């Protein structure tokens, strides 16, 4: 094992065992960081490494920076990067694990002239149930990417410290989430390449539920959709972008296992309902501005009409949507639906696929 000029920065918000697991796994890497920083972002109990002696003695000194109250991902990442004095910063979420040679393989890419940051695909690895299979199919970030890319995910990235500091890091960004997209864009706008390394992957080992999966995905995508509305883009245009963004995802699910379409339907309905809710909130109280409210009623009616022939599926989706903060769908469907959601999703979802989802609801919800 060789020591390299890298500061490993990781983060905990009551994720202490995941952090300890990450630090223990680092003892098997073929390249060892020369410094480790753990940002304790307001955990209920302060983080202490508490590693076995045979593990601790193989690691460099560990600096723990305690933040009294949780301030979110952006602040934690900025604070961690500021503690680095090495040539490279390796930012890693506590639930990420690497093959032994990951850092050694990524270092030459990050050191290339003109490259500001390097990384790899991040693949969920949580089991073989339907949700785990869906996460691996859909949430493997930078799947198949190689060379210059427009975005590197925040779960694991290796940045040249001089490039990070030259562009100002996360300064000026106040949102709690989306800082990875911000940093990627900031580096590119300042002439730096983002480099995806192929032939090696990182793995996310945290087990998440379907509701958390939906919230996490839409938190990033929804930020962009709502920004477009705030900039004056028409609501129907933004809704079409949401639907179009689901196309490849739903086609992959249908090809792999039609039962996976449940997760797509849940995500799509949450995304559409949340988008029209944002539009309605924007226009509330503005004279003559009723598009948001009208679209919300139309969409809820369309969703109810779409699901009406499939009562078991409707009940499951409505229960999940309620957990995501949405009001119950209407039950009065006497009028013809003003918008045909079935037609809008027909590229991937038909009667056969819906029957398969209903037949597999036990496994989907289990």
């Amino acid at each position: 094992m060789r020591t390299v000029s890298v500061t490993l920065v990781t983060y905990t918000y009551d994720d202490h065992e995941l952090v300890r697991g990450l630090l223990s796994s680092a003892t098997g890497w073929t390249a060892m960081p020369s410094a480790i920083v753990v940002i304790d972002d307001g955990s209920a109990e302060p983080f202490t490494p508490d590693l076995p002696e045979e593990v601790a003695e193989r690691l460099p000194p560990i600096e723990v920076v305690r933040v009294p109250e949780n301030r979110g991902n952006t602040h934690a990442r900025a604070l961690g990067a500021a503690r680095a004095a090495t040539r490279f910063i390796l930012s890693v979420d506590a639930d990420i694990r690497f093959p032994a040679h990951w850092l050694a393989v990524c270092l030459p890419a990050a050191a290339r002239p003109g490259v500001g940051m390097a990384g790899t695909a991040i693949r969920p690895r949580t089991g073989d149930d339907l949700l785990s299979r869906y996460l691996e199919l859909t949430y493997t970030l930078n799947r198949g990417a190689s060379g210059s890319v427009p975005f590197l995910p925040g779960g694991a990235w290796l940045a040249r410290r001089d490039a990070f500091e030259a562009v100002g890091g996360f300064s000026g960004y106040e949102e709690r989430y989306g800082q990875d997209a911000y940093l990627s864009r900031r580096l590119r706008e300042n002439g730096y390449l983002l480099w995806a390394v192929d032939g090696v992957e990182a793995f996310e080992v945290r087990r998440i539920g379907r509701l958390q999966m939906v919230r996490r995905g839409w938190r990033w995508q929804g930020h962009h959709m709502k920004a477009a509305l705030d900039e004056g883009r028409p609501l129907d245009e933004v809704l079409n972008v949401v639907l179009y963004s689901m196309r490849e995802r739903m086609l992959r699910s249908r090809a792999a296992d039609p039962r996976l379409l449940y997760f797509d339907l849940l995500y799509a309905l949450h995304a559409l309902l949340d988008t029209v809710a944002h539009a309605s909130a924007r226009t509330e109280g503005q004279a003559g501005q009723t598009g948001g409210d009208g679209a919300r009623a139309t969409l809820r009616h369309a969703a109810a009409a779409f699901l009406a022939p499939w009562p078991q599926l409707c009940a499951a989706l409505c229960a999940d949507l309620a957990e995501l903060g949405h009001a119950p769908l209407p039950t009065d469907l006497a009028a013809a639906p003003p918008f045909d959601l079935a037609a809008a999703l027909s590229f991937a979802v038909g009667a056969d696929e819906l029957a398969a989802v209903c037949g597999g609801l036990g496994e989907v919800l289990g």
Side-chain angles (χ1 to χ4, degrees):
M1 180 189 300
R2 62 189 177 99
T3 300
V4 291
S5 183
V6 173
T7 298
L8 166 61
V9 184
T10 190
Y11 319 91
T12 179
Y13 176 39
D14 297 323
D15 287 329
H16 299 351
E17 288 307 311
L18 283 170
V19 171
R20 294 184 186 113
L22 173 64
L23 298 179
S24 295
S25 72
T27 62
W29 296 356
T30 59
M32 174 59 68
S34 55
I36 296 176
V37 176
V38 178
I39 304 299
D40 182 354
D41 190 17
S43 299
E45 294 292 331
F47 173 79
T48 56
D50 291 335
L51 296 169
E53 183 178 350
E54 65 271 17
V55 172
E57 66 185 11
R58 299 177 63 187
L59 295 172
I62 299 170
E63 178 186 9
V64 178
V65 180
R66 168 79 173 170
V67 180
E69 296 183 3
N70 180 266
R71 296 185 59 183
N73 290 344
T74 302
H75 179 263
R77 281 155 172 70
L79 184 59
R83 310 298 294 191
T86 51
R87 185 183 179 195
F88 297 97
I89 304 166
L90 173 59
S91 174
V92 187
D93 285 352
D95 59 354
I96 298 296
R97 300 292 181 267
F98 296 131
H101 61 299
W102 191 94
L103 180 55
V105 169
C106 290
L107 272 170
R112 290 172 61 124
V115 171
M117 188 162 63
T120 70
I122 301 176
R123 182 183 297 276
R125 178 177 280 178
T126 58
D128 193 39
D129 60 293
L130 284 177
L131 179 57
S132 295
R133 290 169 56 193
Y134 180 78
L135 287 167
E136 183 165 352
L137 186 69
T138 303
Y139 281 72
T140 298
L141 302 172
N142 272 359
R143 176 193 297 270
S146 178
S148 179
V149 293
F151 167 77
L152 286 173
W157 47 260
L158 179 66
R160 287 220 329 268
R161 185 169 62 88
D162 62 346
F164 182 89
E165 293 177 349
V167 303
F170 300 109
S171 62
Y173 188 75
E174 302 299 330
E175 301 288 338
R176 292 173 70 92
Y177 305 102
Q179 66 288 134
D180 48 1
Y182 176 81
L183 180 60
S184 291
R185 183 175 68 251
R186 197 170 220 188
L187 285 165
R188 287 189 293 105
E189 289 175 348
N190 283 274
Y192 291 99
L193 297 174
L194 312 178
W195 204 264
V197 180
D198 60 356
V200 64
E201 295 177 327
F203 299 96
E204 182 180 25
V205 298
R206 187 197 302 267
R207 174 73 178 177
I208 66 172
R210 61 183 179 276
L211 300 181
Q212 186 180 356
M213 175 269 296
V214 169
R215 291 189 185 100
R216 185 173 69 174
W218 183 242
R219 187 165 59 208
W220 181 83
Q221 187 185 12
H223 171 79
H224 298 284
M225 298 300 107
K226 294 170 186 177
L229 289 172
D230 293 343
E231 293 167 3
R233 307 304 301 180
L235 175 59
D236 58 348
E237 176 183 304
V238 175
L239 291 175
N240 281 330
V241 171
V242 174
L243 285 169
Y244 184 81
S245 73
M246 294 298 301
R247 181 180 179 86
E248 290 304 316
R249 177 188 298 199
M250 297 181 83
L251 289 173
R252 282 198 305 270
S253 294
R254 187 179 71 176
D257 185 334
R259 295 175 297 176
L260 300 179
L261 286 165
Y262 180 89
F263 306 114
D264 289 323
L265 290 171
L266 178 61
Y267 185 95
L269 289 171
H270 172 65
L272 293 168
L273 289 167
D274 192 57
T275 299
V276 296
H278 183 78
S280 181
R282 286 186 68 253
T283 58
E284 186 176 356
Q286 298 180 27
Q289 298 292 320
T290 60
D293 283 334
R296 179 155 55 179
T298 295
L299 180 60
R300 294 178 69 251
H301 192 133
F306 170 59
L307 295 171
W310 312 94
Q312 287 180 300
L313 175 59
C314 181
L317 284 169
C318 285
D320 279 349
L321 288 170
E323 291 291 326
L324 292 167
H326 300 290
L329 296 178
T331 56
D332 180 7
L333 301 179
F339 170 65
D340 191 345
L341 189 59
L345 299 175
S346 61
F347 57 83
V349 182
D352 290 345
E353 288 75 26
L354 290 170
V357 172
C358 290
L361 272 179
E363 291 179 77
V364 167
L365 303 176

